Amino acid sequence: MTGERRPLIAANWKMNKTNAEAVAFCNDFRVRDLPASADVVICPAYTALRTVVEGVSGSAVLVAAQNIHAEDSGAFTGEVSAPMLLELGVSAVVLGHSERRQQFGETDAALAKKVPRALAAGLLPILCVGETEEERDAGETQRKLRQQVQADLAAVGTEQLADVVIAYEPIWAIGTGKTATPEQAQDAIAFVRALVRDRDAGLAARVRILYGGSVNAANAANLLDLPDVDGALVGGASLDPDEFSAIVSAAPW
């Protein structure tokens, strides 16, 4: 990575941790001696958002939701809006995670509305993109990434591109124990940056692009040392404060 981009490490807890467990994590994690040169984000379930916001209060740790609706209010049972998150003190949101896309029908058309809505609300969007194992085997990785990046960012003004964090997560590596090789991760993330460069060459150097997919303390350093990788979106390994702290500390910055 370059000095133009501040690294970011995000903990995606998915549907894990009760409020009591979230409190225990925050009490442990916030006293860690972590590098001040990176943004650290915790993404709990909706029910623990306020708990984590309060649990990391006074620290530099940011809190993100795992999804939002594109509208501020309305007849959308089970959904949560940007104003609701802002009221809790949330400052970021994960959008388009493959589990949302595959299990809950999240579409590029929906994300094309959600990403600009997050930006308008002052939330930092962390947009997830990535290919399935079948698509990689068929040589379709670049086609899939091009489709997702171009469609999902279509309504984002060029001047706001650098305010979006993109997380490349090969679907075949999420929760499987498989991890992209450093070469695979670098190639895919460099391609994503090239897609942004097609919109604006100057801003492409400022967009932060993360790697996600079975990141752990053992492989983090090799992945985070890649020239185009600006951090990580961590799943299962982020549930343990020791493991997540080790990942944050493994980054070469």
Side-chain angles (χ1 to χ4, degrees):
M1 65 171 296
T2 75
E4 298 180 72
R5 304 188 298 271
R6 180 175 172 83
L8 186 151
I9 308 291
N12 181 14
W13 286 357
K14 306 188 181 183
M15 195 179 72
N16 291 290
K17 292 197 183 298
T18 63
N19 275 284
E21 291 168 337
V23 168
F25 182 99
C26 292
N27 288 342
D28 185 322
F29 187 72
R30 64 173 294 142
V31 299
R32 303 295 179 114
D33 184 19
L34 300 174
S37 55
D39 289 332
V40 177
V41 184
I42 297 177
C43 316
Y46 288 131
T47 54
L49 283 171
R50 183 184 292 277
T51 296
V52 176
V53 167
E54 293 173 350
V56 300
S57 177
S59 76
V61 177
L62 306 176
V63 180
Q66 297 177 17
N67 190 27
I68 57 167
H69 196 278
E71 299 294 334
D72 286 350
S73 62
F76 307 108
T77 300
E79 293 293 319
V80 175
S81 70
M84 295 172 181
L85 299 179
L86 293 170
E87 185 180 46
L88 296 177
V90 172
S91 52
V93 60
V94 176
L95 296 172
H97 191 281
S98 64
E99 290 161 3
R100 298 296 313 169
R101 294 179 188 261
Q102 291 191 305
Q103 299 179 37
F104 301 102
E106 183 89 278
T107 65
D108 289 323
L111 291 164
K113 297 178 181 179
K114 291 183 178 186
V115 177
R117 180 65 197 100
L119 288 168
L123 293 167
L124 173 70
I126 302 174
L127 173 67
C128 301
V129 298
E131 82 285 2
T132 65
E133 189 167 19
E134 292 76 18
E135 287 165 334
R136 173 165 283 276
D137 290 344
E140 294 287 298
T141 296
Q142 291 191 354
R143 180 201 62 77
K144 181 64 170 291
L145 294 177
R146 181 182 294 107
Q147 169 196 319
Q148 291 178 325
V149 171
Q150 291 180 346
D152 299 351
L153 299 180
V156 174
T158 300
E159 70 284 356
Q160 289 188 296
L161 283 175
D163 296 326
V164 179
V165 174
I166 302 174
Y168 167 65
E169 291 200 304
I171 296 171
W172 46 270
I174 298 174
T176 63
K178 298 179 181 179
T179 307
T181 66
E183 293 76 17
Q184 289 172 324
Q186 170 59 27
D187 287 350
I189 289 176
F191 180 73
V192 170
R193 195 174 304 284
L195 293 172
V196 179
R197 190 174 297 115
D198 289 342
R199 292 271 303 269
D200 187 288
L203 289 179
R206 293 169 47 200
V207 171
R208 292 184 288 182
I209 307 178
L210 317 180
Y211 172 79
S214 297
V215 178
N216 56 48
N219 60 32
N222 286 337
L223 292 165
L224 295 172
D225 196 36
L226 297 170
D228 277 293
V229 174
D230 305 311
L233 181 58
V234 187
S238 72
L239 297 173
D240 178 83
D242 290 330
E243 182 89 359
F244 188 55
S245 297
I247 293 169
V248 175
S249 299
W253 43 66

